[in-house]
Amino acid sequence: MTLILFLSCVAAFLIPTGLALIDSMHFFQLNSYRFSTHLKWITENFHKYLSHYLFSVILLIVSLFSYRVDVKMGVTALLFLVAAFAERPKKAKKPLVYTPRVKRMLVTLGLLFAAIIAGSAIPLFRANHGSIAVFIVVCIYALAPFWVLVANLINIPVERIVNRYYTNDAKRILAACPDLKIIGITGSYGKTSVKYYLNTLLRARYNVLMTPESYNTPMGVVKTVRGSLRATHEIFICEMGAKWVGDIKELCDIVHPQHGVITSIGPQHLESFKTLDAVKNTKFELADALPQDGMLFLNNDDENIRAHGSKRPFISYGIENKSDYTASAISVSERGTTFTVTGPDGEKESFSTRLIGRHNVLNITGAIAVSNKFGIPLSELKGQVRRLEGVPHRLELKKKNGVTLIDDAYNSNPSGTKAALETLRLFEGYKVLVTPGMVELGEKQEELNREFGANAAKVCDYVVLVGKKQAVPIKAGLLDAGYPEKKIFVADTIEEALTHVYAIGSNGQQKIVLLENDLPDNY
């Protein structure tokens, strides 16, 4: 009878524990599978686990109480079922992706728990020691947020072997394509846009493969090469992201780019980089990896790129500063943008695009520079520039519920917020900003979000801030700039923010809503 009760207790335990483990695995994935990052996140977000810890304390008290073991097991089983309700899945912006790595960790956890539970059943066959078995099961549940870290540590050797196999396979595939031209693109911001634009322009003459969406990590690049690269491809455009010093070098060691583009350098991911100099050095790892005859393209309008300089020859592009490829005569309206590009030999060509904003002109000019150096005349690029489409969630124009939505939700940074506000300024109507602000800016985060608020005060008719903690510095910047507090609303979620936006009056004007950033669930 005692064994049956214990097995019933285990069955009830599996439901809330499994749900808690999946939740923790989700956040571990959002924290890039980094042990230190996730451990810090758990300590800083204790409030997210309040219900879990509350049930853990209650269960521990029950497990330690000295009444009959069979009653204790029954009560514990019932409490586990109640805990399952508290642990029920919550709607996620970006749900857990069951990658092979996640599946391997879940298998490891299953084997680990099976061994522990089997071991905890042994005391049942000894007089008066059934309480130990219940206590062990309860402790497993109590420590659920940390078990993924244990599984990750156990799996490190396996993950290294798997990653090495996939990486070597990708290198083998690339080595089998000796005529393939590889272009690496990196930057604190703008790299994905330049990648998409360059892909469209080069397709006028070449068979091109690019890393999709935001596949800019080693495993994302390896997956692209192994799954999509064919012998018929002539150019491979590889986006390269970085959060830590050495990340770009690691990517370059995999794909060995012959040519590179550095779109920008700014205070992005300062929590991991610590200093702006570390960001500069990491981005220029791409330049260091290029062969002697490779072409390096640099954004000449970026003060950090200019300040760092390059030890090797480079091709510059820009708007504000005289460059090898300079955009001028820029005319922007709600319908699109026209501009002129002057090449190194003085050749000029006028372009038009449905995309809006000077920042888009800068990114397009970078793509034009690379394409022209790959042998496509400026005149042939005019049609391709007209065909350019906005990159999803990067100042993407949409119509929703009668509102014009400028979707810039993918990410946000100091330069990007200025470009987004500049774009919002172009529109006629009732201008609304919806934002949770910027993150991963280290010690400068509060200062830069405060500055963001001050800039928004000059453009917006109404501001909706998302997240009470995130809103503090932005709201302070707005108020410091003399913005009326009655035109500021703080929402808990992006859904609540948009519901409020659709409900507010606009004095009969068309609402223009800028959605600047949408933080993932771990913020």
Side-chain angles (χ1 to χ4, degrees):
M1 182 66 181
T2 303
L3 181 59
I4 293 173
L5 280 170
F6 176 68
L7 292 176
S8 300
C9 182
V10 169
F13 140 87
L14 288 173
I15 301 172
T17 305
L19 291 172
L21 286 172
I22 293 299
D23 183 67
S24 189
M25 188 76 74
H26 177 215
F27 287 112
F28 187 52
Q29 187 177 76
L30 291 174
N31 288 323
S32 304
Y33 301 111
R34 286 191 175 268
F35 185 99
S36 58
T37 302
H38 188 60
L39 186 60
K40 180 183 177 184
W41 182 88
I42 290 175
T43 58
E44 291 178 349
N45 290 271
F46 181 85
H47 61 282
K48 291 182 181 291
Y49 293 100
L50 282 179
S51 62
H52 175 85
Y53 292 131
L54 175 62
F55 275 105
S56 296
V57 169
I58 295 172
L59 283 162
L60 284 170
I61 292 172
V62 170
S63 68
L64 291 170
F65 205 75
S66 60
Y67 50 68
R68 289 170 46 184
V69 172
D70 54 348
V71 175
K72 181 184 300 187
M73 287 183 185
V75 173
T76 302
L78 288 173
L79 284 172
F80 271 134
L81 293 176
V82 175
F85 178 79
E87 300 283 2
R88 67 192 185 281
K90 300 168 183 64
K91 185 178 179 181
K93 297 176 185 176
K94 184 179 179 182
L96 173 66
V97 180
Y98 286 87
T99 62
R101 178 171 183 170
V102 168
K103 292 176 182 176
R104 287 191 292 270
M105 290 177 66
L106 290 174
V107 169
T108 298
L109 286 169
L111 294 173
L112 183 62
F113 291 162
I116 295 174
I117 292 170
S120 69
I122 294 174
L124 289 173
F125 300 99
R126 300 177 182 175
N128 301 320
H129 285 83
S131 297
I132 297 176
V134 178
F135 181 73
I136 291 173
V137 171
V138 168
C139 284
I140 292 175
Y141 169 74
L143 296 173
F146 299 93
W147 281 113
V148 293
L149 297 176
V150 175
N152 182 62
L153 287 174
I154 294 172
N155 281 15
I156 283 176
V158 175
E159 295 305 324
R160 285 177 177 169
I161 292 170
V162 171
N163 289 351
R164 190 180 303 118
Y165 169 78
Y166 287 147
T167 300
N168 288 339
D169 190 46
K171 289 180 178 179
R172 177 190 61 78
I173 293 170
L174 288 166
C177 303
D179 296 327
L180 181 70
K181 303 301 180 187
I182 302 173
I183 304 170
I185 301 179
T186 191
S188 297
Y189 24 87
K191 56 185 177 291
T192 303
S193 295
V194 171
K195 175 186 70 175
Y196 272 87
Y197 302 158
L198 182 57
N199 178 58
T200 299
L201 299 191
L202 287 176
R203 281 188 309 185
R205 183 170 293 189
Y206 299 99
N207 188 350
V208 184
L209 171 69
M210 71 170 183
T211 49
E213 301 173 358
S214 292
Y215 277 42
N216 57 25
T217 63
M219 285 301 103
V221 171
V222 164
K223 183 177 181 180
T224 302
V225 171
R226 296 182 70 245
S228 303
L229 184 62
R230 301 291 179 265
T232 52
H233 284 123
E234 298 169 282
I235 296 175
F236 175 37
I237 305 173
C238 180
E239 181 180 342
M240 298 180 170
K243 279 191 175 182
W244 306 83
V245 173
D247 281 357
I248 300 298
K249 183 181 185 302
E250 182 181 357
L251 285 161
C252 290
D253 288 343
I254 295 172
V255 303
H256 300 291
Q258 296 105 341
H259 312 288
V261 184
I262 302 179
T263 62
S264 61
I265 294 176
Q268 189 81 321
H269 303 307
L270 283 182
E271 283 191 357
S272 50
F273 279 120
K274 304 303 181 186
T275 68
L276 187 57
D277 283 340
V279 180
K280 293 177 185 177
N281 293 334
T282 301
K283 298 305 180 185
F284 268 87
E285 288 172 358
L286 173 57
D288 298 337
L290 299 181
Q292 191 171 358
D293 60 348
M295 294 182 289
L296 174 64
F297 298 84
L298 300 179
N299 171 8
N300 200 33
D301 284 357
D302 190 291
E303 60 181 0
N304 292 313
I305 291 178
R306 294 198 310 272
H308 186 278
S310 174
K311 300 174 184 177
R312 57 176 297 132
F314 61 89
I315 299 155
S316 60
Y317 65 92
I319 298 174
E320 298 171 0
N321 297 291
K322 177 64 178 174
S323 308
D324 296 312
Y325 289 84
T326 306
S328 59
I330 300 170
S331 177
V332 183
S333 70
E334 295 181 23
R335 294 180 296 277
T337 308
T338 60
F339 59 100
T340 298
V341 172
T342 304
D345 57 0
E347 179 189 3
K348 291 187 177 183
E349 196 64 63
S350 297
F351 295 90
S352 62
T353 175
R354 289 171 292 177
L355 306 178
I356 56 176
R358 287 171 63 88
H359 65 288
N360 271 323
V361 172
L362 179 63
N363 291 332
I364 294 170
T365 302
I368 288 172
V370 178
S371 303
N372 187 236
K373 284 297 182 180
F374 267 74
I376 307 178
L378 294 180
S379 58
E380 284 188 28
L381 292 169
K382 294 183 69 170
Q384 295 298 96
V385 170
R386 278 196 297 271
R387 294 186 185 94
L388 289 176
E389 297 181 355
V391 181
H393 307 301
R394 290 165 176 84
L395 292 178
E396 181 184 12
L397 284 179
K398 300 176 179 178
K399 287 284 187 180
K400 188 174 181 180
N401 297 339
V403 169
T404 299
L405 185 66
I406 306 173
D407 182 355
D408 199 34
Y410 175 74
N411 205 338
S412 192
N413 51 73
S415 178
T417 59
K418 291 175 183 176
L421 290 171
E422 180 183 309
T423 301
L424 181 62
R425 190 192 297 273
L426 296 171
F427 287 79
E428 292 292 332
Y430 193 79
K431 303 177 181 69
V432 182
L433 169 65
V434 177
T435 184
M438 301 174 283
V439 296
E440 296 185 347
L441 296 174
E443 295 177 355
K444 286 187 168 291
Q445 184 161 306
E446 182 173 346
E447 173 192 340
L448 291 170
N449 274 306
R450 199 179 189 104
E451 182 181 329
F452 177 24
N455 292 334
K458 303 171 187 175
V459 178
C460 304
D461 297 303
Y462 200 93
V463 176
V464 179
L465 304 175
V466 183
K468 291 179 171 58
K469 180 181 176 182
Q470 290 290 128
V472 173
I474 311 172
K475 186 175 181 179
L478 285 161
L479 296 176
D480 287 347
Y483 198 78
E485 189 168 4
K486 66 180 181 180
K487 291 190 175 183
I488 304 171
F489 179 79
V490 180
D492 288 320
T493 65
I494 194 71
E495 291 78 13
E496 181 189 352
L498 290 175
T499 299
H500 182 78
V501 167
Y502 295 137
I504 60 174
S506 59
N507 300 320
Q509 295 177 286
Q510 171 70 26
K511 284 183 195 170
I512 316 297
V513 180
L514 169 62
L515 178 55
E516 182 62 17
N517 210 6
D518 184 13
L519 298 179
D521 300 276
N522 53 328
Y523 287 100

